[in-house]
Amino acid sequence: QVQLQESGPGLVKPSQTLSLTCTVSGGSISSGGYYWSWIRQFPGKGLEWIGFHHNSGSTFYKPYLTSRVTISVDTSKNQFSLKLTSMTAADTAVYYCARSNGVYGADFDHWGQGRLVTVSS
Amino acid sequence: QSALTQPASVSGSPGQSVTISCTGTSSDVGTYNLVSWYQQHPGKAPKLMIYEVSKWPSGVSNRFSGSKSGNTASLTISGLQAEDEADYYCCSYEGYSSWVFGGGTKLTVL
């Protein structure tokens, strides 16, 4: 059974860069046609897909976040990472990593437990 | 890329059926049969309940069913049980390799 676990700082200062890592266990991150996503949940509870990396090597981002976000994969550590620059209070959220497959990654079937990130000075 | 529209809350008694709607546009829900539904209990990660409009992931009860008509997708929960009380979110492909979620619906089992 695949398991995902987020790690990284819980507090980020405004204008800084957020760096989170998702460690995958129970399966290789480089096998299968999977998509490896970052999704966040704002305090008001709405969910937002941030982007994902596909095992083909392609990476896709929410269009309005493209200039700020980078998702990368480290197959040697079975991890993938999120970097989000120029953080503001509006980026305060619980950040989840997730795996999906199917058509364009249609089903987010495995999720991490989430990492609360607060942006505050 | 606005969020899909869901009712803020729905409720039902044990044994009854409830339906949660998810309204998008002709650019997302109306065009692609790529709507999924997620159940989230407090403090927990979302759990996939339905994908590609009406398909069940392994292990999910068939009391949960999905459908779509035009720009609106729906999740129906039949035979309501106390443990179904949770938040539910829809999600749709919106083209250009991007996904959009709904605002969420709180289901209360009376």
Side-chain angles (χ1 to χ4, degrees):
Chain A
Q1 176 75 334
V2 171
Q3 293 185 316
L4 296 85
Q5 176 70 60
E6 304 89 350
S7 59
L11 180 64
V12 176
K13 287 183 168 52
S15 79
Q16 287 190 338
T17 295
L18 170 67
S19 294
L20 293 176
T21 297
C22 181
T23 300
V24 179
S25 58
S28 171
I29 198 171
S30 57
S31 67
Y34 295 115
Y35 297 77
W36 303 96
S37 284
W38 288 97
I39 296 166
R40 62 184 177 179
Q41 186 165 32
F42 299 110
K45 85 177 183 179
L47 288 163
E48 180 177 74
W49 177 82
I50 297 170
F52 56 32
H53 174 89
H54 185 252
N55 282 352
S56 65
S58 301
T59 306
F60 303 95
Y61 305 126
K62 193 78 169 175
Y64 87 98
L65 291 172
T66 296
S67 63
R68 298 176 53 208
V69 65
T70 303
I71 294 174
S72 58
V73 172
D74 186 337
T75 55
S76 68
K77 295 181 179 179
N78 224 34
Q79 296 175 334
F80 64 106
S81 299
L82 169 71
K83 287 191 187 305
L84 188 62
T85 64
S86 305
M87 294 284 282
T88 71
D91 295 309
T92 292
V94 174
Y95 285 75
Y96 292 99
C97 57
R99 187 194 81 169
S100 64
N101 56 13
V103 180
Y104 301 131
D107 52 344
F108 300 98
D109 61 354
H110 288 81
W111 297 63
Q113 66 184 29
R115 180 69 173 157
L116 174 61
V117 176
T118 301
V119 182
S120 175
S121 55
Chain B
Q1 51 193 20
S2 300
L4 305 174
T5 300
Q6 297 181 234
S9 63
V10 298
S11 63
S13 300
Q16 288 186 333
S17 295
V18 295
T19 297
I20 300 172
S21 61
C22 169
T23 301
T25 69
S26 57
S27 298
D28 39 59
V29 175
T31 294
Y32 304 101
N33 289 324
L34 296 174
V35 176
S36 52
W37 289 90
Y38 300 85
Q39 175 192 66
Q40 186 179 35
H41 287 109
K44 300 294 187 181
K47 174 187 176 184
L48 177 67
M49 305 302 286
I50 293 287
Y51 69 100
E52 293 180 19
V53 176
S54 60
K55 297 180 180 179
W56 289 282
S58 174
V60 170
S61 170
N62 60 8
R63 295 189 300 106
F64 294 82
S65 61
S67 62
K68 190 186 87 166
S69 178
N71 296 339
T72 299
S74 299
L75 173 71
T76 298
I77 309 170
S78 59
L80 265 182
Q81 299 179 0
E83 58 261 37
D84 298 333
E85 184 163 295
D87 292 328
Y88 290 84
Y89 296 87
C90 60
C91 177
S92 175
Y93 185 65
E94 58 176 352
Y96 303 103
S97 299
S98 184
W99 296 87
V100 60
F101 282 90
T105 298
K106 180 176 178 57
L107 168 62
T108 300
V109 180
L110 302 171

